[in-house]
Amino acid sequence: MNVLKFGGTSVANDQNIKKVIEIISKKAKENNNNLAIVVSAFSGITDLLLLASNTAATKEEQYKILLQQIQNKHYEVVENLIEENKKEEVNNLLKAEFTQLQTLLDGCFLLGELTPKTLDRILSFGELLSSQIIAVALQTAIPKTEFKDSREVLKTNAIFGKATVDFKITNELINAFFQKKQATILVFPGFIASSTNGNTTTLGRGGSDYTAAILAAALQASTLEIWTDVNGMYTANPKIVKQAQPIATITYQEAMELSHFGAKVLYPPTIQPVLDLNIPIWIKNTFEPDALGTLISNQSKSNGNPIKGISHIESIALITLEGSGMIGVTGSSKRLFETLSNHNINVIFITQASSEHSICIGIQNQDAELAKQAIDATFEIEIAQHKINACIVEEDLCIVALIGENMKNHQGLSGKMFSTLGKNNVNIRAIAQGASERNISVVIEKKDVRKALNTLHERFFEDNTKQLNLFVMGVGNVGEKFIDQVYQQKKFLKENLKLNVRVIALSNSRKMFFDSEGIPLKEWKTCLNQGEDANMKLFIEKVKAFNYRNSIFVDITANSEVATIYDQFLKENIAVVTCNKIAAASEYENYKNLKKLSRKYNAPFLFETNVGAGLPIIDTLKHLIVSGDKVHKIQAVLSGSLNFIFNNFSETYSFHDVVKEAGVQGFTEPDPKIDLSGIDVARKILILIRESGYEMEIEDIQNNSFLPEECMNTTTNEAFFESLVKHNSHFENLLAQAKEKNSRLKFVASFEKGKASVGLEFIPSDSPFYNLEGKDNIVQFYTDRYVDQPLLIKGAGAGAAVTASGIFADVIRIGNF
């Protein structure tokens, strides 16, 4: 004997039911037509019955419309599924059932009340109707098929809503019936039973699984098969964790833990009846019947991973009872749990401080108010005497659990779990681990559930592949190169560095576009053009709302307003990577605050490209400082654009033309005056000074500008370039002086003895700066360790491609943290 149960989605409509009939027909041939079939109500019907009941009880005539929807659903299935010669018989059966259902709903409407007893009777119609329709449909394929009302063989107490089965009577009735049965296929409605005095009871939502398990245990079936709409139990909820994988084998205990903690593919009490008899349970997919599914038994094959799954329970309230009056006082815990039991409040989670100063419990949100009132009443005297505090209630929390039979044999799992959550700024409100070490549970905020589940799944199931979620603002020359580099390297990073890089958002000054699964980078321009209007406030809100693990805000602008929003990301554990120098060169207090937020919220703040584009200048400087070295002097050519300009400026190539060319090649900022005024270089040397451990403001840096005052005072690019033509003789004079001194013009930044300056200098031929070609940068650090010969870093310091590569390198650094 095999027992097969089909869930609501499996019997949602006539097309699905035909698939079910195919499965049953195949199983019947394999098992000599010896099957017990348990079916749920058609998908959505139980919810409609519940809504109609409550609507009627509140005297809203809307219940009649809901009743009509229920009727239409069933008549439609009959019309498309049942043979013509049997339709009248089935429709008459439905008519009789719907007459009873309408009478009950009318009574609720007239009385204005809904008792648990009446509700159970109303909810029973879902399974009664579906099972009778399916039994008739099955008779066409397997003539010896009969319907059997579960209420005749499943007996319970009279606690309506979630009745307790009387197994002694139930097992006797089941075996007596099967000894006399004539049919080879028996179809039972799930979920419903009856009390010993004949009233309809229900076994709780999801109780159809339980019905099947009760039958399987009573009949000592060879297997119990639960047919649903997924390929078994998963390592996590696949609707939340896209990378979740089906679990091939799992023990009864592991399955019970997972189902208790929210794995909805299996109703938690299902396992208990078959556990002692060692009846294997298969979880199978109605829509992919050849898929392997999940086998639940007393043995589980190990793949080396002690974790079998990660699950969670939502809508949890945490109740804390604490006070010195509990220390050393026997019976406090007894009084607490007895109070909850007397009010029929189920405790899901328990933890207690070893000092006995506090007890923390997790219950359903809906029970929180009643629980607080009851507990405070129980401890009223102690609360009045200030020995115990009135209980504290925190609602809208979630429990996340790591589950695995072999966890007890592996050290450090708790540490890995907590550190993984901590790195992603998921705050843990409470922790519990049973002595069996089969489960480690933590209570966290509801908003962090998606991040927590994905982070933990990534850590324990995805071969240590880390997903980086990028939110990019600025897609000009550098931004476009950056996106191209991410696209080109995506496969390499995943295979070699175990980094899965996704661009979730793109924004420019006009449009912004979000894709929760990652923007297809081949079509990013089309996506962005089809996006919504750019709105910085909304952009920030959306990034926060995603609350993705390993989130990185990438600023590829030179926008001062964008530079002011970094703190909003860092406070949310969102890393910031930027080539925008404005933030790191802003007021010293703001710079220090950003650094502080980065440390506090474990959110990297990286700006390597602020100085030297893709050159590892800041990273090298950081290593010097953390290893105990001290910087005393810095000399540098820090503007690739200015170096390009002065390297190409000649008698035959005017200053105006070479500045124009630098802009065309992407070496200057959109506003070239930022480069030529020296403010850009001043910001760069300021950042190096601060990263060296010194406090300084931009106003403290002496800027020896080489531009005529009229050029500096222009307000548009057009006016600026006109002024360059007008003052061409000034620039030619600078070039002539350099030739006279056998020198080259370089814009140099210097720092020594607490003073800094930037300006145009005549560099002699014996200087390492003299042969600096093209757009190259050079930096010399004189330190405690590099006294006579400075540490020198040299290379391309401007250009879209190298700047983009520097930004990309910062992203990879975060991935490798």
Side-chain angles (χ1 to χ4, degrees), residues 240-243 450-451 454 458 462 465-472 482-483 486-487 489-491 493-494 499-506 515-521 546-554 808 811-812:
I240 298 176
V241 181
K242 301 300 181 183
Q243 291 77 28
R450 179 177 292 273
K451 181 194 286 187
N454 278 278
E458 186 177 82
E462 297 175 35
T465 297
K466 181 184 284 188
Q467 184 170 285
L468 303 181
N469 297 293
L470 310 186
F471 301 84
V472 181
F482 172 73
I483 296 167
V486 172
Y487 175 69
Q489 290 298 103
K490 189 173 177 66
K491 184 178 179 182
L493 292 174
K494 196 165 187 178
L499 295 177
N500 179 23
V501 182
R502 305 190 308 173
V503 177
I504 304 298
L506 288 171
D515 187 328
S516 61
E517 298 302 316
I519 296 170
L521 297 184
F546 274 112
N547 197 23
Y548 280 157
R549 69 210 187 274
N550 307 320
S551 291
I552 306 173
F553 172 65
V554 184
F808 200 4
V811 169
I812 302 306

Side-chain angles (χ1 to χ4, degrees), residues 698-719:
I698 191 73
E699 296 81 9
D700 299 330
I701 298 174
Q702 183 178 341
N703 186 347
N704 302 312
S705 176
F706 66 90
L707 287 177
E709 188 173 345
E710 184 179 342
C711 297
M712 291 289 293
N713 292 334
T714 56
T715 56
T716 66
N717 282 0
E718 292 76 10

Side-chain angles (χ1 to χ4, degrees), residues 438-475:
R438 193 180 292 127
N439 173 321
I440 305 172
S441 304
V442 296
V443 178
I444 64 173
E445 293 183 36
K446 182 179 179 180
K447 69 180 181 65
D448 290 327
V449 167
R450 179 177 292 273
K451 181 194 286 187
L453 291 175
N454 278 278
T455 299
L456 291 172
H457 194 274
E458 186 177 82
R459 179 66 180 85
F460 289 104
F461 289 103
E462 297 175 35
D463 195 24
N464 286 330
T465 297
K466 181 184 284 188
Q467 184 170 285
L468 303 181
N469 297 293
L470 310 186
F471 301 84
V472 181
M473 188 169 284
V475 286

Side-chain angles (χ1 to χ4, degrees), residues 165-223:
V165 176
D166 186 327
F167 281 97
K168 185 176 184 300
I169 299 173
T170 295
N171 290 341
E172 290 174 357
L173 290 171
I174 291 172
N175 282 292
F177 167 73
F178 272 83
Q179 287 172 9
K180 297 177 182 178
K181 73 178 178 68
Q182 298 297 315
T184 55
I185 307 294
L186 277 300
V187 179
F188 292 83
F191 178 58
I192 64 173
S194 66
S195 64
T196 51
N197 59 2
N199 289 313
T200 298
T201 57
T202 60
L203 304 176
R205 292 298 292 264
S208 293
D209 288 355
Y210 195 31
T211 301
I214 294 167
L215 286 169
L219 298 169
Q220 297 190 23
S222 54
T223 61

Side-chain angles (χ1 to χ4, degrees), residues 470 474 476-486 488-489 554-556 577-579 608-610 612-615 666 796-813:
L470 310 186
N477 289 338
V478 177
E480 185 170 342
K481 293 290 185 184
F482 172 73
I483 296 167
D484 288 345
Q485 290 174 13
V486 172
Q488 291 167 12
Q489 290 298 103
V554 184
D555 177 14
I556 316 181
V577 169
T578 179
C579 62
E608 181 66 67
T609 49
N610 277 196
L615 293 176
V802 292
T803 303
S805 69
I807 295 167
F808 200 4
D810 273 349
V811 169
I812 302 306
R813 283 189 184 93

